[in-house]
């Protein structure tokens, strides 16, 4: 309890001068604590607040060591500073969430595929194959290679990136299935009758 006549406002100047009245040995202890903490980790992690030493904003004390804090965890990496991740090899992004692709600088004509064992290869759409330069694609002649599915009574017509099938004469269908055309019996019988009529 304060003596009469002394209010809290009269103590205010005294409270402001308190840090200056700290004994010499307290300052020495503070200096040693700061030195000890700074020797264990970067000085950016340790801050002094008056006579107190603590981890700076964005860092948290774990067993006497200031550790960086990331609001979102580093998915494929480690937190090295406040909201700053260091990604493991093969990953990128603010929180190491995206895989690094070797394909980004591949100069492939149509597309690229990352290989599990490392490296990459260019890929081509169906009907095309990788050219000798391993980057561009060229037409694959399915007719010449015999990889088409045309009927045995059809013939293959190569097109860029694909092929078409067409039935031979006297056969009908879509080229993939061809059936012998049936001559209309009435047409045959009419022809036969015509021939017979010419004989006499």
């Amino acid at each position: 309890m304060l003596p009469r006549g002394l209010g809290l406002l009269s103590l205010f100047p005294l409270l402001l001068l308190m840090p200056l009245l700290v004994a010499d040995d307290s300052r020495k202890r503070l200096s040693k604590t700061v030195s000890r903490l700074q020797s264990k980790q970067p000085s950016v992690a340790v801050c002094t607040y008056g006579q107190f030493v603590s981890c700076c904003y964005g860092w948290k004390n774990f067993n006497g060591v200031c550790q960086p804090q990331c609001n979102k965890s580093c998915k494929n990496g480690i937190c090295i500073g406040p909201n700053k991740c260091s990604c493991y090899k093969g990953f990128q992004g603010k929180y190491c969430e995206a895989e690094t692709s070797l394909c980004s600088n591949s100069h492939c004509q149509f597309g690229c595929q990352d290989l599990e064992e490392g490296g990459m290869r260019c890929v081509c759409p169906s009907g095309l194959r990788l050219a000798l330069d391993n980057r561009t694609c060229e037409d694959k002649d399915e007719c010449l290679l015999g990889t088409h599915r045309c009927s045995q009574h059809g013939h293959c017509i190569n097109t860029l990136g694909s092929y078409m099938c067409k039935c031979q004469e006297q056969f009908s269908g879509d080229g993939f299935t061809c059936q012998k055309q049936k001559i209309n019996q009435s047409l045959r019988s009419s022809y036969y009758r015509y021939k017979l009529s010419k004989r006499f």
Side-chain angles (χ1 to χ4, degrees):
M1 195 160 169
L2 295 172
R4 284 184 185 219
L6 284 177
L8 283 175
L9 289 176
S10 62
L11 293 176
F12 186 70
L14 184 62
L15 292 173
L16 290 175
L17 294 175
M18 274 300 259
L20 301 175
L21 302 175
V22 175
D24 250 357
D25 59 298
S26 294
R27 285 193 184 131
K28 287 178 187 174
R29 273 188 273 138
L30 176 64
S31 177
K32 284 181 186 177
T33 305
V34 169
S35 297
R36 184 175 48 83
L37 284 171
Q38 287 178 340
S39 68
K40 287 185 178 179
Q41 59 213 355
S43 60
V44 293
V46 180
C47 292
T48 55
Y49 303 100
Q51 63 180 355
F52 298 103
V53 177
S54 182
C55 297
C56 296
Y57 176 78
W59 300 77
K60 194 170 186 177
N61 187 344
F62 288 105
N63 298 327
V65 178
C66 294
Q67 303 246 339
Q69 297 297 295
C70 290
N71 289 344
K72 204 173 169 188
S73 69
C74 301
K75 194 169 184 180
N76 297 295
I78 56 170
C79 187
I80 58 168
N83 293 318
K84 186 173 183 179
C85 296
S86 175
C87 302
Y88 299 136
K89 186 177 180 181
F91 294 94
Q92 64 184 4
K94 184 170 182 175
Y95 296 105
C96 308
E97 69 282 359
E99 286 188 50
T100 306
S101 176
L102 296 173
C103 289
S104 56
N105 295 322
S106 67
H107 305 293
C108 293
Q109 182 180 6
F110 285 101
C112 179
Q113 179 181 25
D114 286 312
L115 303 174
E116 285 184 22
E117 61 273 1
M120 63 82 183
R121 71 174 176 170
C122 294
V123 293
C124 298
S126 178
L128 300 178
R129 67 175 173 205
L130 202 56
L132 293 175
D133 65 3
N134 287 326
R135 286 199 158 83
T136 58
C137 298
E138 61 187 13
D139 182 46
K140 176 171 54 175
D141 190 341
E142 296 86 357
C143 301
L144 187 63
L145 295 170
T147 57
H148 63 84
R149 291 198 201 158
C150 295
S151 167
Q152 66 181 21
H153 300 293
H155 65 273
C156 181
I157 304 164
N158 188 53
T159 61
L160 182 63
S162 189
Y163 64 94
M164 294 180 347
C165 296
K166 188 173 182 181
C167 292
Q168 298 171 356
E169 283 187 42
Q170 299 178 358
F171 290 88
S172 63
D174 62 2
F176 295 96
T177 55
C178 297
Q179 296 175 351
K180 190 159 180 89
Q181 290 179 347
K182 294 181 182 175
I183 297 174
N184 190 341
Q185 288 295 340
S186 61
L187 183 62
R188 261 191 187 169
S189 60
S190 297
Y191 179 73
Y192 180 72
R193 274 185 260 146
Y194 169 74
K195 282 287 201 186
L196 282 175
S197 69
K198 294 288 182 184
R199 275 180 140 180
F200 298 106

